[in-house]
Amino acid sequence: MVSVHRVTDLTMLAQQRKKLEPFMGLRLDLGCGPNKQAGFFGVDSRRLPGVDLVHDLEVFPWPLPDSVTRLVVMSHFWEHIHPKLTLRFMAELHRVCQHGAEIAIAAPYGNGFRFTQDPTHCNPSNEATFLYWDLRHPLWEVYQPPVFHLTYYEIIPAGHDRDFNARLICCKPEDGKTCTCALPVAQP
């Protein structure tokens, strides 16, 4: 287990990254808690069974190498990211993703009951949220963040409320703006 709370020593950060280099192509489970997906590298701020890296994901940079992951899952973690850190979080996620990496997000829908019941939920999201990262959509122009393509979005029943599932693909255009991905645009 790699244990990091706040990395301030650059030598320590380099050592942590070197330990992870053999895992290029890693499958990450961010905010996994005690329910890490089988075959994934689990990251959580709490030391729990199955957590491989203890790190606060709202502290940047993460102690992971550039372009280390090809698949990321976030199951009921997205809604815990402080809104003022969302753009930085996604920029850091982009840094650790390989071009074409898939990101799967499941979370409570917007301001539904399942979202508001938990006092630690602070980041409501809906059909339009992830379009801010897709340069094929006009909302991307607002912040012009690192590019993720929204390829799938669905609202699913969850008891008497709704959750959502979203799938993003990491795009790393060579010139930073001209995307050559031939992916369908999701119609949320």
Side-chain angles (χ1 to χ4, degrees):
M1 174 188 300
V2 180
S3 179
V4 177
H5 290 284
R6 282 188 173 252
V7 178
T8 54
D9 179 358
L10 293 178
T11 304
M12 186 172 145
L13 179 61
Q15 290 170 347
Q16 297 293 347
R17 288 183 176 166
K18 189 157 183 72
K19 285 180 186 176
L20 290 168
E21 283 176 8
F23 299 104
M24 297 302 274
L26 194 65
R27 298 179 335 156
L28 287 176
D29 188 342
L30 299 181
C32 65
N35 303 309
K36 179 179 76 171
Q37 301 295 311
F40 281 71
F41 186 86
V43 182
D44 200 281
S45 63
R46 301 170 296 160
R47 188 178 312 281
L48 296 166
V51 173
D52 299 297
L53 172 63
V54 176
H55 181 74
D56 181 347
L57 290 165
E58 291 182 332
V59 175
F60 312 104
W62 300 340
L64 296 168
D66 295 350
S67 302
V68 71
T69 187
R70 61 185 166 82
L71 177 61
V72 177
V73 295
M74 286 185 265
S75 180
H76 293 271
F77 171 67
W78 173 260
E79 65 272 22
H80 296 276
I81 300 166
H82 292 287
K84 70 179 183 178
L85 297 175
T86 303
L87 291 172
R88 288 180 62 200
F89 176 90
M90 291 297 281
E92 188 65 4
L93 180 60
H94 193 270
R95 181 186 69 77
V96 302
C97 282
Q98 297 171 352
H99 176 74
E102 183 176 343
I103 298 87
I105 303 170
Y109 182 80
N111 280 322
F113 178 79
R114 286 173 49 83
F115 176 82
T116 58
Q117 75 174 357
D118 186 330
T120 68
H121 290 177
C122 58
N123 194 8
S125 299
N126 63 26
E127 297 89 335
T129 301
F130 299 102
L131 295 174
Y132 282 89
W133 284 275
D134 196 329
L135 64 70
R136 302 168 303 173
H137 195 278
L139 287 174
W140 181 83
E141 292 293 333
V142 175
Y143 303 111
Q144 298 184 9
V147 177
F148 290 94
H149 296 302
L150 178 64
T151 60
Y152 180 79
Y153 187 95
E154 71 173 340
I155 298 172
I156 57 172
H160 296 291
D161 203 1
R162 305 178 291 175
D163 281 359
F164 74 83
N165 290 326
R167 184 173 52 240
L168 308 172
I169 301 293
C170 179
C171 177
K172 295 189 174 187
E174 289 184 26
D175 65 1
K177 291 202 178 204
T178 308
C179 174
T180 58
C181 296
L183 298 169
V185 178
Q187 301 298 320

